[in-house]
Amino acid sequence: MPLFPRSGCLALLLGLALLLSPLAIAAAPPTVAAASDLQFALSEAAERFTAETGRELRLNFGSSGNFRRQIAQGAPFELYLSADEAYVLALHEEGHLENEGVVYAVGRLAWLQPRGQGELPGEEAPLIAVREALDAHAAGEGRPRIALANPEHAPYGVAARQVLEHAGLWEASAPLRVLGENVSQAARFALSGDARGGLVAWSLALAPPIAERGEHVLIPESWHAPLVQRMALVEGAGETARAFYAWLQEEEARGILADYGFRAPGDGFHLPGDAAP
């Protein structure tokens, strides 16, 4: 006697065909590749978008450089939000994106340190903690780590290196530096027990889960190249990704980004909670 009656086999085959049909695949939530400095801001924005539209999203956070390489290799992302617009423009030139996209924000860099880990530097000398860590290491008083994202593929890591070079501390800080795969991992390293602190995205330092454990001071914008962040649709993007892309350009989404310290393109810089100029 067959394990399944003929009618049961037909029903099973029909069910598998439906699961593998283009319509079923198209109904899956689109995957968004987003720079890790957006971890909290974009998660909040996506929740709001889903609540308003009923459309689900999959958010994948990581380093912009790694996503740039993965998209060029055919990774199934539908929307790409980079912390460095150069990656988006390069992918467009190579034919992987629908167009050159739009600038959605300008980021800021901050010094982040664990609460109670020494005095917080002032805005006039935000890297004094790095100098103190170097002095302590030279005096044989341990090896207090300085965290930053890997400059090889993370835009905030590039900015952190530029800041340390501006202060004449890049070479000297080599024995103390610990590199995160992305700026979100660098923020975790900055708050670890053996770290003096780190140079991370301001958007992460402002996020409640991190602000509860750490304290921060802004790095002057003139100390590094602007962190101009651009997004674009990947070739073949579906309707949900297109809707989210459009929604992110609306006032509600811009307000969420502003709450996490992101400046809108063309706006004067202002602190979260302040009235926009």
Side-chain angles (χ1 to χ4, degrees):
M1 181 176 179
L3 185 59
F4 295 104
R6 180 175 296 179
S7 60
C9 290
L10 290 174
L12 180 61
L13 290 172
L14 179 59
L16 288 173
L18 287 173
L19 285 173
L20 296 175
S21 70
L23 287 176
I25 294 172
T31 303
V32 177
S36 62
D37 68 313
L38 294 166
Q39 179 179 351
F40 297 97
L42 196 68
S43 294
E44 182 175 329
E47 288 179 8
R48 193 88 57 88
F49 169 80
T50 298
E52 293 178 7
T53 67
R55 295 173 181 262
E56 298 286 342
L57 299 160
R58 285 198 189 112
L59 303 182
N60 194 340
F61 295 103
S63 76
S64 298
N66 284 342
F67 283 140
R68 181 255 187 274
R69 185 181 66 255
Q70 291 167 16
I71 292 171
Q73 294 171 347
F77 299 121
E78 296 189 31
L79 177 60
Y80 175 39
L81 290 93
S82 174
D84 184 346
E85 67 170 350
Y87 292 135
V88 173
L89 297 175
L91 283 171
H92 170 54
E93 287 295 320
E94 295 167 9
H96 300 291
L97 306 179
E98 290 198 351
N99 51 46
E100 64 181 17
V102 296
V103 173
Y104 64 88
V106 179
R108 290 291 302 270
L109 195 68
W111 168 261
L112 173 70
Q113 66 182 42
R115 290 190 178 277
Q117 189 80 290
E119 185 176 351
L120 181 68
E123 291 187 10
E124 70 287 348
L127 296 185
I128 192 170
V130 178
R131 298 184 187 279
E132 291 171 352
L134 288 169
D135 290 343
H137 180 58
E141 300 172 1
R143 194 180 180 190
R145 296 292 192 170
I146 305 299
L148 60 149
N150 192 331
E152 293 298 318
H153 49 246
Y156 279 87
V158 173
R161 175 172 182 160
Q162 291 170 349
V163 164
L164 291 169
E165 288 174 338
H166 172 87
L169 296 172
W170 175 251
E171 296 297 337
S173 65
L176 304 185
R177 292 197 304 263
V178 56
L179 302 182
E181 179 69 11
N182 52 61
V183 74
S184 180
Q185 187 177 69
R188 293 196 295 273
F189 289 165
L191 295 179
S192 64
D194 63 347
R196 180 64 178 87
L199 290 162
V200 306
W202 189 32
S203 60
L204 298 177
L206 288 171
I210 293 179
E212 289 173 1
R213 300 173 51 208
E215 51 188 353
H216 71 273
V217 61
L218 273 171
I219 300 297
E221 285 185 290
S222 60
W223 289 17
H224 61 83
L227 286 156
V228 181
Q229 309 198 184
R230 182 177 289 265
M231 64 178 174
L233 290 162
V234 180
E235 281 287 347
E239 289 305 313
T240 296
R242 294 177 186 281
F244 189 47
Y245 176 69
W247 189 87
L248 287 171
Q249 299 175 59
E250 296 177 2
E251 184 175 352
E252 183 176 5
R254 291 199 299 268
I256 293 172
L257 290 174
D259 288 342
Y260 286 89
F262 291 106
R263 172 159 51 91
D267 286 353
F269 181 72
H270 62 283
L271 295 172
D274 290 348

